[in-house]
Amino acid sequence: MRDFTAMATALASCGADPAVMTIIDKGYPYHNRDAVDGWLRDLGATMVPYPARAAGIAAHLDRATAADKRTLVFDDGGYVLPVVLDTMPERVAELVGVVEQTTSGIRALDRFEHIPVPVFSVAESALKAAVEAPHVAASVIDAVTDLVRDETWAGRPALVIGYGKLGRQAAKILRDTERMRVAVFDREPVMLVTAHQDGFRVGQDLGQLLREHRPLLVLGAAGAGSLTGAHAYDFTAPAYLASMTSRDYEFPLSEWADAAEHVGSLGDIGHAYVMPGDIELCVLGDGLPLNFHHRESMPNRISDLVFAALLAGGAVLAEPGARGHGPGRNVPLVDAILAASPVMDAYLTLYAEETQRQLLTPSATDCPPYEHQPWCYAQRSETPDTPTVEKVFRDGPDLVPRFAEHLAAVRAERTQSPGVGLPAVSEHRPEPAGGAVRIPHLVAIAAADGPVTDRVLWEVMAGIDVRPWCGLIPERGWFEHRLDALLDLRRKLRAGDLPASAAVSELRAALTGRYLSIRFAYQHQSVIALVLDEIAAEAHGAAA
């Protein structure tokens, strides 16, 4: 996530050497994963893929020992200390301690009778309980509604499994915002009593609750094992399932695969199991935490507060004596330390007192002047045989920022959600790094009272965003080699100067309601290739 770059920068400024900094890449499809991974590598940190974490941890400890350093662990799900205790317990003394952010990471330690190092549990702190759960729950539910945008939820049944901090917030959002009929299951009777007092239907038998409530949506918030393989047979109607917690532990995917009559890939949506009786279980985001599925988990200004608490915990464990924090967990001491730290005071100064409010948009004084120009996007031409009219931009020194604003507005309209800042656009072909790619946009421009011409403006886009944007992974190199031909095709379309052929007729039909943008070209490469070949053959014949 983007917020981790700020934390890594802060660690380096506190004296942590990036050369002995190791990051375990959990493999989640975060919105900016490739760009962030590239940034971390450029910083000098070592990236270790999740499946190779045991070997990566051992190699890290070797590097730290060679540098005469001990290791402070910042964990986000119990990925380090359990591995050390299981596979290399003799090296646990090389750890100063662990700062753990997640409840799942704390639960991963429950099976150990003795924890020999301090575990500063931000996960169980009052600070994290107060700020994080509502945002994570909202992000998961936003992801559900984004992935199946045309579904209707109001008045239909939902089931939340696990009524901890996340589950409780999710149940309230589903009921109060999405207006669903929500039932709750939890293995702890006291949590069921709490859910009942909150006004939800509850049940002590999960199988019976599945059969009787017939949920359209199931949210797994138990931390692990929300459902068993046998529970697949308790579904009496198709359902969407989404995980709210770490890894893919909420649902028994391998057991369902063995029992299913068919397992189908749904692309970026996830995958689905067709169970006996033609019951389809659609697992959104492939069962990984849905708030990480091609998106940021929560607003960065909330992440800042949690990450600041992690850094404060790390500073405490790095001190001689760790301010009395001995081996294992000590939540009351963690709460007292965080309450006395400047973390919460700084947050209140920034966002409660707001003596110096700052917007997250670019500083207006640093931006070029804006002149409102009325325009109609995708307005039909009066000539039936011509494609939709594209936006024509006034040429000038502010062309690039105006085109970036145009891209942001169109994408916000298409996705029905506000964008995050402006796309990175430039006049000259960039050389992206860190998993980003370049997109050559075909842009119509005109000087005052001058003719319309075409040119290319370049956008740098995170590689992971390309498929959601255009619906496929395009052959970008093929198009870059044909940019002049594509610009010429736009001019010929505008002038009605194309040969009469089946390919041109197919292209005109595809352009109904659209215009020849690079996104359209990516989506219709085969017919574009045919038309370009015909134009080239016609030009060759004329020259002969």
Side-chain angles (χ1 to χ4, degrees), residues 51-373:
R53 63 194 182 282
I57 292 167
H60 165 85
L61 293 175
D62 290 342
R63 287 193 299 275
T65 299
D68 195 26
K69 297 179 184 294
R70 296 174 70 208
T71 292
L72 177 61
V73 178
F74 293 90
D75 213 332
D76 186 47
Y79 297 107
V80 178
L81 184 55
V83 172
V84 173
L85 293 175
D86 281 335
T87 65
M88 53 193 97
E90 72 283 357
R91 306 196 71 169
V92 72
E94 297 174 41
L95 304 182
V96 173
V98 176
V99 184
E100 177 56 63
Q101 181 181 194
T102 67
T103 301
S104 58
I106 295 300
R107 287 177 176 167
L109 297 172
D110 286 345
R111 60 189 176 87
F112 297 100
E113 184 175 347
H114 174 63
I115 303 298
V117 297
V119 177
F120 193 97
S121 180
V122 174
E124 299 169 287
S125 67
L127 182 151
K128 186 169 181 180
V131 302
E132 190 175 80
H135 296 282
V136 173
S139 180
V140 169
I141 294 168
D142 283 347
V144 170
T145 57
D146 280 348
L147 286 173
V148 279
R149 186 176 299 279
D150 293 327
E151 188 60 271
T152 181
W153 307 99
R156 305 181 77 183
L159 173 63
V160 176
I161 303 176
Y163 205 63
K165 294 186 287 289
L166 282 179
R168 189 175 191 181
Q169 291 293 334
K172 290 180 177 180
I173 294 171
L174 290 175
R175 179 188 63 190
D176 300 339
T177 302
E178 301 298 335
R179 295 174 293 153
M180 299 189 77
R181 296 182 288 111
V182 181
V184 171
F185 174 81
D186 196 289
R187 294 184 181 87
E188 299 293 332
V190 66
M191 304 311 293
L192 290 181
V193 171
T194 303
H196 184 264
Q197 288 294 304
D198 286 342
F200 296 107
R201 176 180 179 175
V202 299
Q204 293 180 281
D205 185 324
L206 180 54
Q208 181 180 350
L209 197 57
L210 287 167
R211 292 189 297 272
E212 294 179 355
H213 192 58
R214 302 178 74 243
L216 170 68
L217 173 64
V218 176
L219 292 185
S226 285
L227 297 170
T228 67
H231 282 131
Y233 301 98
D234 292 317
F235 285 87
T236 60
Y240 305 105
L241 297 97
S243 171
M244 301 184 71
T245 60
S246 296
R247 306 307 305 170
D248 57 355
Y249 302 148
E250 290 291 345
F251 308 124
L253 304 181
S254 58
E255 293 182 57
W256 288 355
D258 291 340
E261 295 178 350
H262 177 69
V263 183
S265 171
L266 305 177
D268 286 340
I269 293 175
H271 64 274
Y273 303 91
V274 180
M275 307 304 292
D278 204 31
I279 302 297
E280 183 174 324
L281 303 180
C282 174
V283 180
L284 301 173
D286 296 323
L288 294 169
L290 209 59
N291 53 310
F292 299 150
H293 189 66
H294 302 296
R295 61 198 299 120
E296 295 290 317
S297 175
M298 59 183 177
N300 275 355
R301 283 182 167 175
I302 296 299
S303 298
D304 288 348
L305 179 59
V306 176
F307 278 32
L310 296 175
L311 289 167
V316 167
L317 296 188
E319 293 179 10
R323 298 194 203 174
H325 196 310
R329 289 143 53 203
N330 188 336
V331 176
L333 179 59
V334 167
D335 282 337
I337 288 171
L338 293 179
S341 78
V343 170
M344 285 187 268
D345 281 344
Y347 179 87
L348 291 172
T349 298
L350 286 169
Y351 305 121
E353 299 171 8
E354 294 198 280
T355 55
Q356 292 182 325
R357 179 184 294 176
Q358 286 186 311
L359 304 182
L360 290 178
T361 47
S363 172
T365 56
D366 296 333
C367 296
Y370 172 74
E371 178 183 343
H372 176 66
Q373 289 186 315

Side-chain angles (χ1 to χ4, degrees), residues 39 81-82 236 311 320 403 407 441 521:
W39 184 92
L81 184 55
T236 60
L311 289 167
F403 182 70
L407 287 180
H441 288 284

Side-chain angles (χ1 to χ4, degrees), residues 34 411 429-442 456-484 486 518-519 521-525 528 532:
D34 292 340
R411 289 169 186 171
R429 189 174 77 170
E431 298 296 336
V437 300
R438 59 180 177 243
I439 306 295
H441 288 284
L442 314 176
V456 172
L457 291 179
W458 296 87
E459 177 186 4
V460 174
M461 179 183 290
I464 200 169
D465 290 340
V466 175
R467 183 189 290 273
W469 168 62
C470 68
L472 47 79
I473 301 299
E475 294 182 50
R476 292 179 294 102
W478 187 92
F479 288 96
E480 286 198 20
H481 283 101
R482 293 164 175 82
L483 288 178
D484 288 341
L486 288 169
I518 192 64
R519 181 170 177 266
Y522 284 165
Q523 294 168 340
H524 298 83
Q525 180 176 356
I528 293 285
L532 292 183

